[in-house]
Amino acid sequence: MKADPSIVDKASGAGRPRDPRIDAAILAATAELLVEIGYSNLTMAAIAERAGTTKTALYRRWSSKAELAHEAAFPTGPGVLAIPTGDIAMDVRAMIAAARDVFTSPVVRAALPGLVADMTADAELNARVMGRFVGLFDAVRIRIAEGVERGEVHADVDPGRLVELMGGATLLRLLLDPETDLDDEWVNGTAAIVVHGVRTPKEDV
């Protein structure tokens, strides 16, 4: 197993700054192993060996297998909400399509059951992991506020609840019928329900 010269020695301050290439190698190795052997068989030692680094390097970056696996399965980034649309219906559809793409990926399918179990059993771990999604919730909050200003969105819509509805719909669909693809027709139909609701407008009397 190779030593990792890219890590700063916290005690002495010696060494070079963290090399983002090592981070990328660790995350890639984690994703590969999740698909190959599953979450329950995944170990920090196996990840370190695949990435060509050390367990010490892993633990300096991530405090646990769960946090590392979560970042490998759910990388955070600008995503679809970085693209301005000015249309809440398009925003909702894009978010549902993005959730579909994430949850149907092989690495997420491999990681999710074990991750959920570990996060449920450890409140502090759950808080740390969910903290990675602060930026996503902020982005949705901004889109909702913009929609309210344009008169497209009810002022009392809770952005967090909206994220729960879209993500929850995707997860439940996968649990109920894991063999059937979540195609664009499913995305469009789900988006229509979220945007328009299920009740027809009452006619004036």
Side-chain angles (χ1 to χ4, degrees), residues 163-202:
V163 172
E164 290 173 5
L165 285 170
M166 293 186 291
T170 308
L171 278 173
L172 184 59
R173 175 64 168 70
L174 289 172
L175 287 172
L176 294 176
D177 192 1
E179 302 303 322
T180 303
D181 291 337
L182 273 67
D183 56 14
D184 287 343
E185 182 179 353
W186 179 87
V187 171
N188 293 335
T190 305
I193 292 173
V194 172
V195 172
H196 302 295
V198 297
R199 190 174 71 172
T200 59
K202 293 182 178 178

Side-chain angles (χ1 to χ4, degrees), residues 40-106:
S40 61
N41 294 318
L42 186 68
T43 65
M44 295 296 257
I47 296 168
E49 182 176 4
R50 175 68 64 91
T53 185
T54 65
K55 285 199 300 181
T56 300
L58 270 62
Y59 280 113
R60 282 177 174 167
R61 290 162 164 84
W62 295 275
S63 65
S64 67
K65 179 182 83 170
E67 291 184 62
L68 174 51
H70 189 276
E71 187 165 340
F74 299 97
T76 57
V80 295
L81 288 179
I83 305 171
T85 66
D87 184 330
I88 195 63
M90 291 178 63
D91 288 342
V92 168
R93 191 207 178 279
M95 286 187 278
I96 293 173
R100 181 268 313 272
D101 294 342
V102 167
F103 285 117
T104 57
S105 71

Side-chain angles (χ1 to χ4, degrees), residues 81 131 133-146 159-160 163:
L81 288 179
F133 291 123
V134 169
L136 170 64
F137 281 87
D138 286 345
V140 174
R141 189 174 296 109
I142 291 170
R143 286 297 170 94
I144 293 299
E146 293 171 347
V163 172

Side-chain angles (χ1 to χ4, degrees), residues 154-170:
H154 295 294
D156 60 353
V157 169
D158 183 337
R161 199 71 67 242
L162 179 61
V163 172
E164 290 173 5
L165 285 170
M166 293 186 291
T170 308

